[in-house]
Amino acid sequence: MEPTFDATIHAPQRLQICALLARGGEVEFATLRDALDVSDATLSKHLRVLTDAGYVVLRRVQRDRGHARTWAGLTRDGRHALDAHFAYLSALAPDAGDLG
């Protein structure tokens, strides 16, 4: 994999979203919102950017009484882009782990 800077993923909250999804598979909207400590509108905006880029897929599940839950998952392209972005960042500071 070639290290590649990805401006879509690089935004701090989108980077956090991708990292959470990479670690947890599908994650429910409210769990993401609470983990990032953002509003529904802010999370929706970031998920839309990631979905438009093909990095995230959203799945709505209808529950009883008409309530729906939204689940987000990282796509294969999203995982590849995240890995390439992490590789790019690591290449910028190869000795960063030795700072402590």
Side-chain angles (χ1 to χ4, degrees):
M1 160 198 24
E2 182 171 332
T4 306
F5 179 84
D6 191 307
T8 300
I9 291 176
H10 190 70
Q13 290 175 333
R14 290 196 291 267
L15 184 59
Q16 287 178 298
I17 291 167
C18 290
L20 286 167
L21 295 178
R23 189 171 66 182
E26 274 193 328
V27 179
E28 201 265 330
F29 184 93
T31 302
L32 284 173
R33 179 198 60 219
D34 294 346
L36 273 62
D37 193 27
V38 297
S39 68
D40 287 357
T42 297
L43 179 56
S44 292
K45 177 184 162 194
H46 287 302
L47 287 173
R48 175 168 292 129
V49 171
L50 292 166
T51 300
D52 289 349
Y55 293 167
V56 169
V57 63
L58 300 177
R59 181 173 63 91
R60 288 181 61 84
V61 177
Q62 282 299 125
R63 294 177 45 197
D64 50 324
R65 297 187 216 143
H67 294 101
R69 294 175 72 182
T70 300
W71 294 82
L74 201 59
T75 65
R76 190 169 298 189
D77 287 344
R79 180 60 197 226
H80 177 52
L82 179 63
D83 289 345
H85 188 69
F86 279 152
Y88 176 87
L89 295 176
S90 294
L92 289 177
D95 298 324
D98 298 333
L99 295 176

Coordinates of all heavy atoms in Angstrom, one line a residue:
M1 N 0.8 -1.2 0.0 CA 0.0 0.0 0.0 C 0.9 1.2 0.0 O 1.8 1.3 0.8 CB -0.9 0.0 1.2 CG -1.5 1.3 1.6 SD -2.1 1.4 3.3 CE -1.2 0.2 4.2
E2 N 0.5 2.1 -0.9 CA 1.3 3.4 -1.0 C 0.7 4.4 0.0 O -0.5 4.7 0.0 CB 1.3 3.9 -2.4 CG 2.1 5.2 -2.5 CD 2.2 5.6 -4.0 OE1 2.1 4.7 -4.9 OE2 2.3 6.8 -4.2
P3 N 1.6 5.0 0.8 CA 1.1 6.1 1.7 C 0.5 7.2 0.9 O 1.1 7.7 0.0 CB 2.4 6.5 2.5 CG 3.3 5.4 2.3 CD 3.0 4.8 1.0
T4 N -0.7 7.6 1.3 CA -1.4 8.7 0.5 C -2.2 9.6 1.5 O -2.9 9.1 2.4 CB -2.5 8.0 -0.4 OG1 -1.8 7.1 -1.2 CG2 -3.1 9.1 -1.3
F5 N -2.0 10.9 1.4 CA -2.7 11.9 2.2 C -4.1 11.9 1.6 O -4.4 12.0 0.4 CB -2.1 13.3 2.1 CG -2.8 14.3 2.8 CD1 -2.6 14.4 4.2 CD2 -3.8 15.1 2.2 CE1 -3.3 15.4 4.9 CE2 -4.5 16.0 2.9 CZ -4.3 16.2 4.3
D6 N -5.1 11.8 2.5 CA -6.5 11.9 2.1 C -7.2 13.0 2.9 O -7.5 12.9 4.1 CB -7.2 10.5 2.4 CG -8.5 10.4 1.8 OD1 -9.4 11.3 2.0 OD2 -8.8 9.4 1.1
A7 N -7.5 14.1 2.2 CA -8.1 15.3 2.8 C -9.5 15.0 3.3 O -9.9 15.6 4.3 CB -8.2 16.4 1.8
T8 N -10.2 14.0 2.7 CA -11.5 13.7 3.2 C -11.5 13.1 4.6 O -12.2 13.4 5.5 CB -12.2 12.7 2.2 OG1 -12.3 13.4 0.9 CG2 -13.6 12.3 2.7
I9 N -10.5 12.2 4.8 CA -10.4 11.5 6.1 C -9.7 12.3 7.1 O -9.9 12.2 8.3 CB -9.6 10.1 5.9 CG1 -10.5 9.2 5.1 CG2 -9.2 9.5 7.2 CD1 -9.8 7.8 4.8
H10 N -8.8 13.2 6.6 CA -7.9 13.9 7.5 C -8.6 14.8 8.6 O -8.1 15.1 9.7 CB -6.9 14.8 6.7 CG -5.8 15.3 7.6 ND1 -4.8 14.6 8.2 CD2 -5.5 16.6 8.0 CE1 -4.0 15.3 8.9 NE2 -4.4 16.6 8.8
A11 N -9.8 15.4 8.2 CA -10.5 16.2 9.2 C -10.6 15.4 10.5 O -11.0 14.3 10.5 CB -11.9 16.6 8.6
P12 N -10.3 16.1 11.6 CA -10.2 15.3 12.9 C -11.5 14.4 13.2 O -11.3 13.3 13.6 CB -10.1 16.4 13.9 CG -9.4 17.5 13.2 CD -10.0 17.5 11.8
Q13 N -12.7 15.0 13.1 CA -13.8 14.1 13.4 C -14.1 13.0 12.4 O -14.5 11.9 12.8 CB -15.1 15.0 13.6 CG -14.9 15.9 14.9 CD -16.0 16.8 15.1 OE1 -16.7 17.3 14.1 NE2 -16.3 17.2 16.3
R14 N -13.8 13.3 11.2 CA -13.9 12.2 10.2 C -12.8 11.1 10.4 O -13.1 9.9 10.2 CB -13.9 12.7 8.8 CG -15.1 13.5 8.4 CD -15.3 13.8 7.0 NE -14.3 14.7 6.4 CZ -14.5 16.0 6.2 NH1 -15.6 16.5 6.7 NH2 -13.6 16.7 5.7
L15 N -11.6 11.5 10.8 CA -10.6 10.6 11.1 C -11.0 9.7 12.3 O -10.9 8.5 12.3 CB -9.3 11.3 11.4 CG -8.1 10.4 11.7 CD1 -7.8 9.5 10.5 CD2 -6.9 11.3 12.0
Q16 N -11.6 10.3 13.3 CA -12.1 9.6 14.5 C -13.2 8.6 14.1 O -13.3 7.5 14.5 CB -12.7 10.5 15.5 CG -11.6 11.3 16.3 CD -12.2 12.2 17.3 OE1 -13.0 13.2 16.9 NE2 -12.0 12.0 18.5
I17 N -14.1 9.0 13.2 CA -15.2 8.2 12.8 C -14.7 7.0 12.1 O -15.0 5.8 12.4 CB -16.2 8.9 11.8 CG1 -17.0 10.0 12.6 CG2 -17.1 8.0 11.1 CD1 -17.7 11.0 11.7
C18 N -13.7 7.2 11.1 CA -13.2 6.1 10.4 C -12.4 5.1 11.3 O -12.5 3.9 11.2 CB -12.2 6.6 9.3 SG -13.1 7.4 7.9
A19 N -11.7 5.7 12.3 CA -10.9 4.8 13.2 C -11.9 4.0 14.0 O -11.7 2.8 14.3 CB -10.0 5.7 14.1
L20 N -13.0 4.6 14.5 CA -14.0 3.8 15.3 C -14.6 2.7 14.5 O -14.8 1.6 14.9 CB -15.0 4.8 15.8 CG -14.6 5.6 17.0 CD1 -15.7 6.7 17.2 CD2 -14.4 4.8 18.3
L21 N -14.9 3.0 13.2 CA -15.6 2.0 12.3 C -14.6 0.9 12.0 O -15.0 -0.2 11.9 CB -16.1 2.7 11.1 CG -17.3 3.7 11.3 CD1 -17.7 4.3 10.0 CD2 -18.4 3.1 12.0
A22 N -13.3 1.3 11.8 CA -12.3 0.3 11.5 C -12.2 -0.7 12.6 O -11.9 -1.9 12.4 CB -11.0 0.9 11.1
R23 N -12.3 -0.2 13.8 CA -12.1 -1.0 15.0 C -13.4 -1.8 15.4 O -13.3 -2.9 15.9 CB -11.7 -0.2 16.2 CG -11.3 -0.9 17.4 CD -10.7 0.0 18.4 NE -11.7 0.9 18.9 CZ -11.5 1.9 19.8 NH1 -10.3 2.1 20.2 NH2 -12.5 2.6 20.2
G24 N -14.5 -1.2 15.1 CA -15.8 -1.8 15.6 C -16.7 -2.4 14.6 O -17.8 -2.7 15.0
G25 N -16.3 -2.5 13.4 CA -17.3 -3.0 12.4 C -18.4 -2.0 12.2 O -18.1 -0.8 12.1
E26 N -19.6 -2.4 12.2 CA -20.8 -1.5 12.2 C -21.0 -0.8 13.5 O -20.9 -1.5 14.5 CB -22.1 -2.2 11.8 CG -22.3 -2.3 10.3 CD -23.7 -2.7 9.9 OE1 -24.3 -3.5 10.7 OE2 -24.2 -2.3 8.9
V27 N -21.2 0.5 13.5 CA -21.4 1.2 14.8 C -22.7 2.0 14.6 O -22.9 2.6 13.6 CB -20.2 2.1 15.1 CG1 -20.5 2.9 16.4 CG2 -18.9 1.3 15.2
E28 N -23.5 2.0 15.7 CA -24.8 2.7 15.6 C -24.6 4.2 15.7 O -23.6 4.6 16.4 CB -25.7 2.2 16.8 CG -27.2 2.4 16.6 CD -27.6 3.7 17.3 OE1 -27.0 4.1 18.3 OE2 -28.6 4.3 16.8
F29 N -25.4 4.9 15.1 CA -25.3 6.4 15.0 C -25.1 7.0 16.4 O -24.2 7.9 16.6 CB -26.5 7.0 14.3 CG -26.5 8.5 14.1 CD1 -26.0 9.0 12.9 CD2 -27.0 9.3 15.0 CE1 -26.0 10.3 12.6 CE2 -26.9 10.7 14.8 CZ -26.4 11.2 13.6
A30 N -26.0 6.7 17.3 CA -25.9 7.3 18.6 C -24.6 7.0 19.3 O -24.1 7.8 20.1 CB -27.1 6.8 19.5
T31 N -24.1 5.8 19.1 CA -22.8 5.5 19.7 C -21.7 6.3 19.2 O -20.8 6.8 19.9 CB -22.5 4.0 19.5 OG1 -23.5 3.2 20.1 CG2 -21.2 3.5 20.1
L32 N -21.7 6.5 17.8 CA -20.7 7.4 17.2 C -20.8 8.8 17.7 O -19.9 9.5 18.1 CB -20.9 7.4 15.7 CG -20.3 6.2 14.9 CD1 -20.8 6.4 13.4 CD2 -18.8 6.1 15.0
R33 N -22.1 9.3 17.8 CA -22.3 10.7 18.3 C -21.8 10.9 19.7 O -21.1 11.9 20.0 CB -23.8 10.9 18.2 CG -24.2 12.3 18.7 CD -25.7 12.4 19.1 NE -26.0 11.5 20.1 CZ -27.1 10.8 20.2 NH1 -28.0 10.9 19.3 NH2 -27.3 9.9 21.2
D34 N -22.1 9.9 20.5 CA -21.6 10.0 21.9 C -20.1 9.9 22.0 O -19.5 10.6 22.8 CB -22.3 9.0 22.8 CG -23.8 9.2 22.9 OD1 -24.3 10.3 22.5 OD2 -24.5 8.2 23.3
A35 N -19.5 9.0 21.3 CA -18.1 8.9 21.3 C -17.3 10.1 20.8 O -16.3 10.5 21.4 CB -17.6 7.7 20.5
L36 N -17.9 10.8 19.9 CA -17.3 12.0 19.3 C -17.7 13.3 20.1 O -17.2 14.3 19.9 CB -17.6 12.2 17.9 CG -16.7 11.5 16.9 CD1 -16.7 10.0 17.0 CD2 -17.0 11.9 15.5
D37 N -18.8 13.1 20.9 CA -19.4 14.3 21.6 C -19.7 15.4 20.7 O -19.3 16.6 20.9 CB -18.4 14.8 22.7 CG -19.0 15.7 23.7 OD1 -20.3 15.6 23.9 OD2 -18.3 16.5 24.3
V38 N -20.5 15.1 19.7 CA -21.0 16.0 18.7 C -22.5 15.9 18.6 O -23.1 15.0 19.1 CB -20.4 15.8 17.3 CG1 -18.9 16.0 17.3 CG2 -20.7 14.4 16.7
S39 N -23.1 16.9 17.9 CA -24.6 16.9 17.7 C -24.9 15.9 16.6 O -24.1 15.5 15.8 CB -25.0 18.3 17.3 OG -24.6 18.7 16.1
D40 N -26.2 15.6 16.5 CA -26.7 14.8 15.4 C -26.4 15.4 14.1 O -25.9 14.7 13.1 CB -28.2 14.5 15.5 CG -28.6 13.6 16.7 OD1 -27.7 13.1 17.3 OD2 -29.8 13.4 16.8
A41 N -26.6 16.7 14.0 CA -26.4 17.4 12.7 C -24.9 17.4 12.3 O -24.6 17.1 11.1 CB -26.8 18.9 12.8
T42 N -24.0 17.5 13.2 CA -22.6 17.5 12.9 C -22.2 16.1 12.5 O -21.5 16.0 11.5 CB -21.7 17.9 14.1 OG1 -22.1 19.3 14.5 CG2 -20.2 17.8 13.9
L43 N -22.6 15.1 13.2 CA -22.3 13.7 12.8 C -22.9 13.4 11.4 O -22.2 12.8 10.6 CB -22.8 12.7 13.8 CG -22.5 11.2 13.5 CD1 -21.0 11.0 13.2 CD2 -23.0 10.3 14.6
S44 N -24.1 13.8 11.2 CA -24.7 13.6 9.9 C -23.9 14.2 8.7 O -23.8 13.6 7.7 CB -26.2 14.1 9.9 OG -27.0 13.4 10.7
K45 N -23.5 15.4 9.0 CA -22.7 16.1 7.9 C -21.4 15.3 7.6 O -21.1 15.1 6.5 CB -22.3 17.5 8.4 CG -21.4 18.3 7.5 CD -21.1 19.6 8.1 CE -19.9 20.2 7.4 NZ -19.3 21.3 8.2
H46 N -20.7 14.9 8.7 CA -19.4 14.1 8.4 C -19.7 12.8 7.8 O -19.0 12.4 6.9 CB -18.7 14.0 9.7 CG -18.0 15.2 10.2 ND1 -17.1 15.9 9.5 CD2 -18.2 15.9 11.4 CE1 -16.7 17.0 10.1 NE2 -17.4 17.0 11.3
L47 N -20.8 12.1 8.2 CA -21.1 10.8 7.6 C -21.5 11.0 6.1 O -21.2 10.2 5.3 CB -22.2 10.1 8.3 CG -21.8 9.5 9.7 CD1 -23.1 9.0 10.4 CD2 -20.8 8.4 9.5
R48 N -22.2 12.1 5.8 CA -22.5 12.4 4.4 C -21.3 12.5 3.5 O -21.2 12.0 2.4 CB -23.4 13.6 4.3 CG -23.7 13.9 2.8 CD -24.8 15.0 2.6 NE -26.0 14.4 3.0 CZ -26.9 14.9 3.9 NH1 -26.6 16.1 4.4 NH2 -28.0 14.3 4.2
V49 N -20.3 13.3 4.0 CA -19.0 13.5 3.3 C -18.3 12.1 3.1 O -17.9 11.8 2.0 CB -18.1 14.4 4.0 CG1 -16.7 14.5 3.4 CG2 -18.7 15.8 4.1
L50 N -18.3 11.3 4.1 CA -17.6 10.0 4.0 C -18.4 9.0 3.1 O -17.8 8.3 2.4 CB -17.4 9.4 5.4 CG -16.4 10.1 6.3 CD1 -16.5 9.6 7.7 CD2 -15.0 9.9 5.8
T51 N -19.7 9.1 3.2 CA -20.6 8.3 2.3 C -20.4 8.7 0.8 O -20.3 7.9 -0.1 CB -22.1 8.4 2.7 OG1 -22.2 7.9 4.1 CG2 -23.0 7.6 1.8
D52 N -20.4 10.0 0.6 CA -20.3 10.5 -0.8 C -18.9 10.1 -1.4 O -18.8 9.9 -2.6 CB -20.4 12.0 -0.8 CG -21.8 12.5 -0.6 OD1 -22.8 11.7 -0.6 OD2 -22.0 13.7 -0.4
A53 N -17.9 10.0 -0.5 CA -16.6 9.5 -1.0 C -16.5 8.0 -1.2 O -15.5 7.5 -1.7 CB -15.5 10.0 0.0
G54 N -17.5 7.3 -0.7 CA -17.5 5.9 -0.9 C -16.8 5.2 0.3 O -16.5 4.0 0.2
Y55 N -16.5 5.9 1.4 CA -15.8 5.3 2.5 C -16.6 4.7 3.5 O -16.2 3.9 4.3 CB -14.9 6.4 3.1 CG -13.8 6.9 2.2 CD1 -13.1 8.1 2.6 CD2 -13.4 6.3 1.1 CE1 -12.1 8.6 1.8 CE2 -12.4 6.8 0.3 CZ -11.7 7.9 0.6 OH -10.7 8.4 -0.2
V56 N -17.9 5.1 3.6 CA -18.8 4.6 4.6 C -20.1 4.3 4.0 O -20.6 4.9 3.0 CB -19.0 5.7 5.7 CG1 -20.2 5.4 6.7 CG2 -17.8 6.0 6.5
V57 N -20.7 3.2 4.5 CA -22.1 2.8 4.1 C -23.0 2.9 5.3 O -22.6 2.6 6.4 CB -22.1 1.4 3.5 CG1 -21.7 0.4 4.5 CG2 -23.4 1.1 2.9
L58 N -24.2 3.5 5.1 CA -25.2 3.6 6.2 C -26.3 2.6 5.9 O -26.7 2.3 4.8 CB -25.7 5.0 6.2 CG -24.7 6.1 6.4 CD1 -25.4 7.5 6.4 CD2 -24.0 6.0 7.7
R59 N -26.8 2.0 7.0 CA -27.9 1.1 7.0 C -28.9 1.4 8.0 O -28.6 1.6 9.2 CB -27.3 -0.3 7.2 CG -28.3 -1.5 7.2 CD -27.6 -2.8 7.3 NE -27.0 -3.0 8.6 CZ -27.5 -3.5 9.7 NH1 -28.8 -3.9 9.6 NH2 -26.8 -3.7 10.8
R60 N -30.1 1.7 7.6 CA -31.2 2.0 8.5 C -32.0 0.7 8.8 O -32.4 0.0 7.9 CB -32.1 3.0 7.9 CG -31.5 4.4 7.8 CD -32.4 5.5 7.2 NE -33.7 5.7 8.0 CZ -33.8 6.5 9.0 NH1 -32.8 7.1 9.5 NH2 -35.0 6.6 9.6
V61 N -32.3 0.5 10.1 CA -33.0 -0.6 10.5 C -34.3 -0.1 11.2 O -34.2 0.6 12.2 CB -32.2 -1.5 11.5 CG1 -33.0 -2.6 12.0 CG2 -30.9 -1.9 10.9
Q62 N -35.4 -0.5 10.7 CA -36.7 -0.1 11.3 C -37.0 -0.9 12.5 O -36.8 -2.1 12.5 CB -37.9 -0.3 10.3 CG -38.0 0.7 9.2 CD -38.3 2.1 9.8 OE1 -37.6 3.0 9.5 NE2 -39.3 2.3 10.6
R63 N -37.4 -0.2 13.6 CA -37.7 -0.9 14.8 C -39.2 -0.8 15.0 O -39.9 -0.1 14.3 CB -37.0 -0.3 16.0 CG -35.5 -0.6 15.9 CD -34.7 0.1 17.0 NE -35.3 -0.1 18.3 CZ -35.0 0.7 19.4 NH1 -34.1 1.6 19.2 NH2 -35.5 0.5 20.5
D64 N -39.8 -1.4 16.0 CA -41.2 -1.3 16.3 C -41.5 0.1 16.6 O -40.7 0.9 17.0 CB -41.6 -2.3 17.4 CG -40.7 -2.1 18.6 OD1 -39.4 -1.9 18.4 OD2 -41.1 -2.2 19.8
R65 N -42.8 0.4 16.4 CA -43.3 1.8 16.6 C -42.7 2.8 15.7 O -42.7 4.0 16.0 CB -43.2 2.2 18.1 CG -43.9 1.3 19.0 CD -43.8 1.9 20.4 NE -43.8 0.7 21.3 CZ -43.0 0.7 22.4 NH1 -42.3 1.7 22.8 NH2 -43.0 -0.4 23.2
G66 N -42.2 2.4 14.6 CA -41.7 3.4 13.6 C -40.4 4.0 13.8 O -39.9 4.8 13.0
H67 N -39.7 3.6 14.9 CA -38.4 4.2 15.2 C -37.4 3.4 14.3 O -37.4 2.2 14.1 CB -38.0 4.1 16.6 CG -38.8 4.9 17.5 ND1 -39.9 4.4 18.3 CD2 -38.8 6.2 17.8 CE1 -40.5 5.4 18.9 NE2 -39.8 6.5 18.7
A68 N -36.4 4.2 13.8 CA -35.3 3.6 13.0 C -34.0 3.8 13.7 O -33.8 4.9 14.3 CB -35.3 4.1 11.6
R69 N -33.1 2.9 13.5 CA -31.7 3.1 14.0 C -30.8 3.1 12.7 O -31.0 2.3 11.8 CB -31.3 2.0 14.9 CG -32.1 2.0 16.2 CD -31.8 0.9 17.1 NE -30.4 1.0 17.7 CZ -29.8 0.2 18.5 NH1 -30.5 -1.0 18.8 NH2 -28.6 0.4 19.0
T70 N -29.8 3.9 12.7 CA -28.9 4.0 11.6 C -27.5 3.4 12.1 O -27.0 3.8 13.1 CB -28.7 5.4 11.1 OG1 -30.0 5.9 10.7 CG2 -27.7 5.5 10.0
W71 N -27.0 2.5 11.3 CA -25.7 1.9 11.5 C -24.8 2.3 10.4 O -25.1 2.4 9.3 CB -25.9 0.4 11.5 CG -26.7 -0.1 12.6 CD1 -28.1 -0.2 12.7 CD2 -26.2 -0.6 13.9 NE1 -28.5 -0.7 13.9 CE2 -27.4 -1.0 14.6 CE3 -25.0 -0.8 14.4 CZ2 -27.2 -1.5 15.9 CZ3 -24.9 -1.3 15.7 CH2 -26.0 -1.7 16.4
A72 N -23.5 2.6 10.8 CA -22.5 3.0 9.8 C -21.4 2.0 9.8 O -21.1 1.4 10.9 CB -21.9 4.4 10.3
G73 N -20.9 1.7 8.6 CA -19.8 0.8 8.5 C -18.8 1.3 7.5 O -19.1 2.0 6.6
L74 N -17.6 0.9 7.7 CA -16.5 1.3 6.8 C -16.5 0.4 5.6 O -16.6 -0.8 5.7 CB -15.1 1.2 7.5 CG -14.0 2.0 7.0 CD1 -14.2 3.5 7.0 CD2 -12.7 1.8 7.9
T75 N -16.4 0.9 4.4 CA -16.4 0.1 3.2 C -14.9 -0.4 3.0 O -14.0 0.1 3.6 CB -16.8 0.9 1.9 OG1 -15.9 2.0 1.7 CG2 -18.2 1.5 2.1
R76 N -14.8 -1.3 2.0 CA -13.4 -1.8 1.7 C -12.6 -0.6 1.2 O -11.4 -0.5 1.6 CB -13.5 -2.8 0.6 CG -12.3 -3.6 0.4 CD -12.5 -4.8 -0.5 NE -13.4 -5.6 0.2 CZ -13.7 -6.9 -0.1 NH1 -13.2 -7.4 -1.2 NH2 -14.5 -7.6 0.6
D77 N -13.2 0.3 0.4 CA -12.4 1.5 -0.1 C -12.1 2.4 1.1 O -11.0 3.0 1.1 CB -13.2 2.3 -1.1 CG -13.3 1.6 -2.5 OD1 -12.5 0.6 -2.7 OD2 -14.2 1.9 -3.3
G78 N -13.0 2.5 2.0 CA -12.7 3.4 3.2 C -11.6 2.8 4.0 O -10.8 3.6 4.5
R79 N -11.6 1.5 4.2 CA -10.5 0.9 5.0 C -9.2 1.1 4.3 O -8.2 1.4 4.9 CB -10.8 -0.6 5.2 CG -9.8 -1.3 6.0 CD -9.7 -0.7 7.4 NE -8.5 -1.1 8.0 CZ -8.4 -1.4 9.3 NH1 -9.5 -1.5 10.0 NH2 -7.3 -1.7 9.9
H80 N -9.2 0.9 3.0 CA -7.9 1.1 2.2 C -7.4 2.6 2.3 O -6.3 2.8 2.5 CB -8.1 0.7 0.7 CG -6.9 0.9 -0.1 ND1 -5.7 0.4 0.2 CD2 -6.8 1.6 -1.3 CE1 -4.8 0.8 -0.8 NE2 -5.5 1.5 -1.7
A81 N -8.4 3.5 2.2 CA -8.0 4.9 2.3 C -7.5 5.3 3.7 O -6.5 6.0 3.8 CB -9.2 5.8 1.9
L82 N -8.1 4.7 4.7 CA -7.7 5.0 6.1 C -6.3 4.4 6.3 O -5.4 5.1 6.9 CB -8.7 4.4 7.1 CG -8.4 4.5 8.5 CD1 -8.4 6.0 8.9 CD2 -9.4 3.7 9.4
D83 N -6.1 3.2 5.9 CA -4.7 2.6 6.0 C -3.7 3.4 5.3 O -2.6 3.6 5.8 CB -4.8 1.1 5.5 CG -5.5 0.2 6.4 OD1 -5.8 0.6 7.6 OD2 -5.9 -0.9 5.9
A84 N -4.0 3.8 4.1 CA -3.0 4.6 3.3 C -2.8 6.0 4.0 O -1.6 6.5 4.0 CB -3.5 4.8 1.9
H85 N -3.8 6.5 4.5 CA -3.6 7.8 5.2 C -2.8 7.7 6.5 O -1.9 8.5 6.8 CB -5.0 8.4 5.6 CG -4.9 9.8 6.1 ND1 -4.6 10.9 5.3 CD2 -5.2 10.3 7.3 CE1 -4.6 12.0 6.0 NE2 -4.9 11.7 7.3
F86 N -3.0 6.6 7.3 CA -2.2 6.3 8.5 C -0.8 6.1 8.0 O 0.2 6.6 8.7 CB -2.7 5.1 9.2 CG -3.9 5.4 10.1 CD1 -4.8 4.4 10.4 CD2 -4.1 6.7 10.7 CE1 -5.9 4.7 11.3 CE2 -5.1 6.9 11.6 CZ -6.0 5.9 11.8
A87 N -0.6 5.4 6.9 CA 0.8 5.1 6.5 C 1.5 6.5 6.1 O 2.7 6.7 6.4 CB 0.8 4.2 5.3
Y88 N 0.7 7.4 5.5 CA 1.3 8.7 5.1 C 1.7 9.5 6.4 O 2.8 10.0 6.4 CB 0.2 9.5 4.3 CG 0.7 10.9 4.0 CD1 1.4 11.1 2.8 CD2 0.3 11.9 4.8 CE1 1.8 12.4 2.5 CE2 0.8 13.2 4.5 CZ 1.5 13.5 3.3 OH 1.9 14.7 3.0
L89 N 0.8 9.5 7.4 CA 1.1 10.2 8.6 C 2.3 9.6 9.3 O 3.1 10.3 9.8 CB -0.1 10.2 9.5 CG -1.4 11.0 9.0 CD1 -2.5 10.8 10.0 CD2 -1.0 12.4 8.7
S90 N 2.4 8.3 9.3 CA 3.5 7.6 10.0 C 4.8 7.9 9.3 O 5.8 8.1 9.9 CB 3.3 6.1 10.0 OG 2.2 5.8 10.8
A91 N 4.8 8.0 8.0 CA 6.0 8.4 7.2 C 6.5 9.8 7.5 O 7.7 10.0 7.3 CB 5.7 8.2 5.7
L92 N 5.6 10.7 7.9 CA 6.0 12.0 8.2 C 6.8 12.1 9.4 O 7.7 12.9 9.5 CB 4.7 12.9 8.4 CG 3.9 13.3 7.1 CD1 2.7 14.1 7.6 CD2 4.8 14.0 6.1
A93 N 6.5 11.2 10.4 CA 7.3 11.2 11.6 C 7.6 9.8 12.0 O 7.0 9.2 13.0 CB 6.4 11.9 12.7
P94 N 8.6 9.2 11.3 CA 8.9 7.8 11.6 C 9.4 7.5 13.0 O 9.2 6.4 13.5 CB 9.9 7.4 10.5 CG 10.5 8.8 10.1 CD 9.4 9.8 10.3
D95 N 9.9 8.5 13.7 CA 10.5 8.3 15.0 C 9.6 8.9 16.1 O 10.0 9.0 17.2 CB 11.9 8.9 15.1 CG 12.8 8.3 14.1 OD1 12.7 7.0 13.9 OD2 13.7 9.0 13.6
A96 N 8.3 9.2 15.8 CA 7.4 9.8 16.7 C 7.2 9.0 18.0 O 7.0 9.5 19.0 CB 6.1 10.1 16.1
G97 N 7.3 7.7 17.8 CA 7.1 6.8 19.0 C 8.2 6.9 20.0 O 8.1 6.5 21.1
D98 N 9.4 7.5 19.6 CA 10.5 7.6 20.4 C 10.6 8.9 21.2 O 11.6 9.2 21.9 CB 11.8 7.4 19.6 CG 11.9 6.1 19.0 OD1 11.3 5.1 19.5 OD2 12.6 6.0 17.9
L99 N 9.6 9.7 21.1 CA 9.6 11.1 21.7 C 9.4 11.0 23.2 O 9.8 11.9 23.9 CB 8.5 11.9 21.1 CG 8.6 12.3 19.6 CD1 7.4 13.1 19.1 CD2 9.9 13.0 19.4
G100 N 8.8 10.0 23.7 CA 8.5 9.9 25.2 C 9.7 9.5 25.9 O 10.2 9.8 26.9

